[in-house]
Amino acid sequence: MKFESAEQLRLAVRTYSIMKGKPVKPYTNEKKRFRAKCKPPCQWFIYASVERELGIADLVVKSMNNEHTNCSHVWKNKNISAKWLANKYMERFRCNVEMSPRLLRQIVDEDFKAEISKWVAYNARAIAKKEIQGNAEQQYKDIWRYCAEIKRTHPNTTMEVMFTPFRQPGCNPKFMRLYCCLGPLKQGFLDGCRPIIGVDGCHIKAEYRGQLLTAIGVDPNNGWWPIAWAVVEREATEQWKWFFELLKNDLQIENGYSYTFVSDQQKGLDRALSEVTWF
């Protein structure tokens, strides 16, 4: 057998140890040499190194004793890492990205007759979630391309981004707010929805915290009609006023008395409504 790299061989030995439930551990872990043994007095071992005569950098297995003697099943296998679990159950995480650590521990117990800690299960979910949903920091860096693509695919869309100015040369601006009102939703509200707008705000529970502000209309069938949403740094009068100014321009509101705003007394909302010029 030959492997393209020590990393590939290390992963194969780790998977073997988990599948068999044996306490196999690497002893020599280099780029050109790899040796793994089972817990003494078991005589199982594997040794691989680079074969210079082949003229390639692959690791070739030179010797191996594939018989386990005097070793029992290990319930707390240290080879079961969070990264290995995330890769192993990636498809399950795609179906249920919020899989509880308790459920993952139960699955591992049923599949491999092994026990993992709740922290390993929690970290495995975090790794899989990051792989599925992407890196939040990188997505914030792509926010300009995101806005440009939304405007390209949805004509007459309003995308407004607010950020802190450049403080020093070479520094990146800091994201503050994002407002979005899709063109089709905007036109649909103007064409057939009732002059009733419900506004609400909620916390964003993610790596980067903030507030989500929304505006919802009522269509002719008494159904909800989303109008606009915004991500802001906090919920206060300044943020609501900024949101309402953009919303007023999008909906072409010239007479505020013709509209009814419904809310549950969000922070700073009443004052923001009174400060915005609706006429």
Side-chain angles (χ1 to χ4, degrees):
M1 293 182 292
K2 66 178 182 178
F3 300 85
E4 295 181 355
S5 63
E7 179 67 25
Q8 187 184 53
L9 177 54
R10 190 184 308 116
L11 178 60
V13 172
R14 179 189 294 271
T15 304
Y16 169 84
S17 170
I18 298 172
M19 294 295 183
K20 293 292 185 179
K22 300 297 183 180
V24 177
K25 179 182 178 181
Y27 281 85
T28 304
N29 191 3
E30 303 174 359
K31 289 184 178 181
K32 296 184 178 181
R33 293 189 305 162
F34 181 86
R35 184 190 302 273
K37 298 179 181 179
C38 190
K39 186 177 181 180
C42 180
Q43 299 299 313
W44 187 97
F45 77 93
I46 184 173
Y47 174 75
S49 63
V50 174
E51 185 62 56
R52 297 180 180 179
E53 296 179 357
L54 296 178
I56 56 177
D58 294 354
L59 289 177
V60 180
V61 177
K62 300 294 185 62
S63 58
M64 179 179 181
N65 179 9
N66 201 25
E67 295 293 333
H68 285 277
T69 56
N70 300 321
C71 64
S72 58
H73 183 88
V74 57
W75 286 97
K76 294 184 178 181
N77 197 330
K78 295 182 179 180
N79 285 311
I80 305 180
S81 63
K83 183 178 179 180
W84 188 89
L85 288 172
N87 293 328
K88 176 66 176 178
Y89 296 108
M90 184 60 68
E91 294 305 318
R92 291 205 183 195
F93 280 115
R94 290 186 188 278
C95 298
N96 181 15
V97 73
E98 296 296 339
M99 181 191 302
S100 66
R102 181 178 181 181
L103 177 58
L104 181 58
R105 296 176 69 188
Q106 180 180 349
I107 293 173
V108 172
D109 179 67
E110 294 174 354
D111 291 349
F112 307 112
K113 301 297 185 290
E115 180 182 347
I116 60 173
S117 67
K118 63 179 181 179
W119 302 114
V120 171
Y122 178 83
N123 291 333
R125 184 182 67 178
I127 294 173
K129 192 174 183 179
K130 185 176 181 179
E131 179 68 22
I132 294 169
Q133 298 181 347
N135 184 280
E137 181 179 354
Q138 183 60 39
Q139 292 181 14
Y140 273 102
K141 293 180 180 179
D142 294 337
I143 196 167
W144 303 109
R145 292 196 300 171
Y146 168 74
C147 293
E149 184 65 16
I150 291 295
K151 290 182 178 180
R152 185 187 68 83
T153 55
H154 299 76
N156 196 29
T157 292
T158 302
M159 298 290 294
E160 186 75 19
V161 180
M162 178 179 288
F163 56 91
T164 58
F166 292 92
R167 296 182 178 179
Q168 296 178 357
C171 295
N172 294 323
K174 181 180 178 182
F175 172 84
M176 293 181 63
R177 305 171 193 169
L178 171 66
Y179 171 88
C180 176
C181 182
L182 297 178
L185 296 178
K186 183 194 311 184
Q187 192 61 43
F189 178 84
L190 296 174
D191 290 343
C193 289
R194 301 179 181 181
I196 301 176
I197 300 176
V199 289
D200 199 0
C202 66
H203 293 279
I204 298 177
K205 298 180 179 180
E207 183 176 354
Y208 297 96
R209 302 303 177 91
Q211 293 283 334
L212 177 66
L213 309 182
T214 59
I216 306 293
V218 180
D219 63 20
N221 295 322
N222 288 328
W224 297 115
W225 184 271
I227 304 173
W229 58 271
V231 176
V232 297
E233 66 274 26
R234 62 180 179 272
E235 187 178 2
T237 302
E238 179 185 352
Q239 286 72 25
W240 275 115
K241 185 177 179 180
W242 176 79
F243 180 72
F244 284 136
E245 290 286 356
L246 294 170
L247 184 66
K248 182 190 72 171
N249 295 330
D250 281 331
L251 301 184
Q252 303 173 13
I253 299 177
E254 298 180 355
N255 183 4
Y257 287 123
S258 301
Y259 287 83
T260 300
F261 288 87
V262 182
S263 71
D264 57 352
Q265 297 181 351
Q266 296 293 320
K267 296 179 181 179
L269 194 149
D270 293 342
R271 182 178 175 183
L273 279 172
S274 63
E275 292 182 359
V276 174
T277 304
W278 296 99
F279 307 97

